[in-house]
Amino acid sequence: MSAVGREAADEGRGWRPATEEALYGPRGFYRRAEGPAGHFRTSVHASALFARAVARLLGLVDESLGRPAELAFVDMGAGRGELVTGVLGALPAEVASRVRPYAVERAARPPGLDHRIEWLAEPPAGVTGLLFANEWLDNVPVDVAEADSDGVVRLVRVRADGSEFLGAPVTGADARWLARWWPLTAPGGPAAPTGPTPAALPDPSGPAAPSDPGDSGDSGDSGGPGALGRSTVPGGPGDLDGPGTAHETDVLGASGGPGDPEHAGGAGHGGGAGGPGGVGRVGRVGHGREIGAGGRDGGGGLGGGHPSEGLRAEIGLPRDVAWAAAVACLDRGLAVAVDYAHSAGARPPFGTLTGFRDGRETAPVPDGSCDITAHVALDACALPGARLLSQREALRALGVHGGRPPLRLASTDPAAYVRALAGAGEAAELTAPGGLGGFGWLLQPVGIADPLAHDLAHDSDPSLPNAPDARRNGPAGP
């Protein structure tokens, strides 16, 4: 078959099912022998201080629970078990003797893992303790939406080689999620309702349902069978496949023609300084666009009040559902999601979907050769009673500081000074505001008070900062 014939035969599919297969299918990226650490590193790989801080958090949860006879530690998206192993090694003996550790991962159990760790494909039900999801939600696959030249928001379809084209209009639950959490309207247009600030919501008696999930199967790519793929929630609320509903009336779009996206430059993803601007056409890996605008993360300066051609968003509803299902596995305790994230009012105008391979950012191609990831709308995931803060705030509250050791230690105990200096450097990396420290932490207490509330009372910021993608720091290890 000719190249033209093959392209015509590949009608593509939504990014969500394409990512699901590329990451978790039989030949998926996360099934590969080298594991994620062969391609990028997370805070877990950056320093043992991270696992020690999580162990301290588990200790605080243990105290809040009244020191139960069995204390669960659930590591969601466990990779090869690095975090749960580090936490076990950092716990005091008395706490470790009561801990029941779980690693939740869809890949096979790695050889040589501590026999105490239960390796599961889905989270355990009815446990009491701490569930910790470090860079898990960013790999829960999502569909991508883009505004066309008429201001209609459509699902983006992707072929096997990574090339994209626009499909059917976004409808149903996905349309409602975008309207509430990520409207593709330019600044200056009608404000979309985003709900109350998560930190100000009342404490729940138990986990609640995600915000306005709608009908889980009504956002297919066409009027035929839906193309959402299966839910990526291990043991979650079930299969999200369902018939499409092209006949629905809540299609995202707006009257009037699109604004002019080609004028005026500005600051943003690599742009120079400038005044209010439009959109350029070069830049971001995989999408060939670069925002020009003032404001945090290129969030301003597009002009107009309706969807402008080329604006993109990742539809985060599957992540809301995944997080609610993960929280629901706790009878009592604390659930924590850590990820690079963004908040309402500062969503990236062209989304964040990208790929990583061998420590480098690359175009996202759904063929299993690279990680496919996108930043998380943690504010949309948050259930009542949640707290949003930065990793810098959270780790500092857990005793991780990047202060230089006193110079007098160099003369009295040179070896200790070198060790302390190395630790300070690692702590500084974990808490750097422009790096790992800018990651978002979503704390979700279940049946207990927030164990970090007292420590964070003075400096917690309910607005989540936009965090850089620290995976570009390169793979872990040599």
Side-chain angles (χ1 to χ4, degrees):
M1 183 184 294
S2 69
V4 173
R6 284 194 300 271
E7 182 173 317
D10 186 356
E11 297 181 354
R13 50 185 170 166
W15 267 108
R16 185 180 174 198
T19 301
E20 168 72 20
E21 182 177 346
L23 296 184
Y24 306 113
R27 294 184 296 173
F29 178 81
Y30 280 100
R31 307 278 188 183
R32 294 168 61 163
E34 71 271 20
H39 296 268
F40 55 81
R41 66 177 190 158
T42 69
S43 297
V44 179
H45 307 121
S47 173
L49 292 174
F50 188 80
R52 292 175 198 164
V54 176
R56 292 189 193 103
L57 180 58
L58 180 58
L60 294 175
V61 172
D62 184 39
E63 292 178 9
S64 297
L65 292 168
R67 303 186 183 278
E70 182 175 287
L71 178 68
F73 176 69
V74 183
D75 182 6
M76 288 294 300
R80 296 300 181 265
E82 297 95 337
L83 177 60
V84 64
T85 298
V87 168
L88 283 177
L91 289 172
E94 190 279 325
V95 178
S97 66
R98 293 184 287 110
V99 166
R100 186 169 181 177
Y102 301 91
V104 182
E105 180 58 66
R106 298 172 71 170
R109 182 187 181 100
L113 190 69
D114 191 316
H115 68 90
R116 295 174 292 173
I117 300 171
E118 295 186 49
W119 192 265
L120 304 173
E122 56 187 43
V127 298
T128 296
L130 173 64
L131 179 142
F132 202 90
N134 185 60
E135 295 196 44
W136 168 60
L137 284 172
D138 68 281
N139 286 130
V140 172
V142 292
D143 271 313
V144 178
E146 181 173 328
D148 69 10
S149 59
D150 295 321
V152 176
V153 179
R154 297 180 177 273
L155 286 171
V156 176
R157 296 180 72 88
V158 60
R159 299 184 179 94
D161 63 0
S163 61
E164 297 178 331
F165 61 98
L166 297 186
V170 177
T171 63
D174 285 349
R176 292 190 291 274
W177 189 93
L178 285 174
R180 179 172 185 180
W181 292 108
W182 198 337
L184 292 182
T185 53
T194 58
T197 301
L201 291 169
D203 289 332
S205 56
S211 302
D212 189 21
D215 300 321
S216 61
D218 61 0
S219 41
D221 288 342
S222 68
L228 288 184
R230 297 187 64 243
S231 168
T232 61
V233 188
D239 199 317
L240 295 185
D241 289 326
T245 54
H247 61 277
E248 290 219 17
T249 58
D250 53 346
V251 176
L252 287 188
S255 58
D260 183 353
E262 299 291 343
H263 294 167
H269 295 290
V279 181
R281 290 295 178 189
V282 292
R284 184 166 183 80
V285 172
H287 300 311
R289 297 188 178 93
E290 183 170 302
I291 181 66
R296 187 169 63 179
D297 200 37
L302 287 175
H306 58 272
S308 296
E309 181 180 4
L311 294 186
R312 291 169 64 108
E314 290 101 32
I315 304 172
L317 179 60
R319 292 170 173 176
D320 298 358
V321 175
W323 180 242
V327 173
C329 85
L330 291 175
D331 279 349
R332 294 176 67 225
L334 178 71
V336 179
V338 180
D339 242 306
Y340 39 93
H342 45 66
S343 295
R347 306 286 190 213
F350 301 116
T352 61
L353 188 76
T354 192
F356 281 89
R357 182 190 301 114
D358 299 327
R360 296 181 180 274
E361 188 172 11
T362 184
V365 178
D367 60 1
S369 68
C370 66
D371 184 28
I372 298 175
T373 178
H375 290 43
V376 182
L378 280 180
D379 51 345
C381 295
L383 302 173
R387 178 189 293 266
L388 292 170
L389 58 148
S390 70
Q391 176 157 298
R392 178 180 176 85
E393 292 173 302
L395 290 185
R396 288 172 70 89
L398 292 167
V400 178
H401 300 275
R404 185 185 183 96
L407 285 174
R408 62 178 179 275
L409 185 62
S411 57
T412 59
D413 191 342
Y417 177 78
V418 170
R419 289 194 299 270
L421 194 62
E426 293 176 6
E429 180 182 4
L430 288 173
T431 59
L436 293 172
F439 272 45
W441 279 47
L442 170 57
L443 276 65
Q444 191 77 57
V446 178
I448 63 171
D450 182 345
L452 285 183
H454 176 74
D455 302 274
L456 295 167
H458 301 294
D459 57 6
S460 179
D461 181 2
S463 62
L464 193 66
N466 284 271
D469 198 330
R471 292 187 175 189
R472 69 190 65 207
N473 290 340

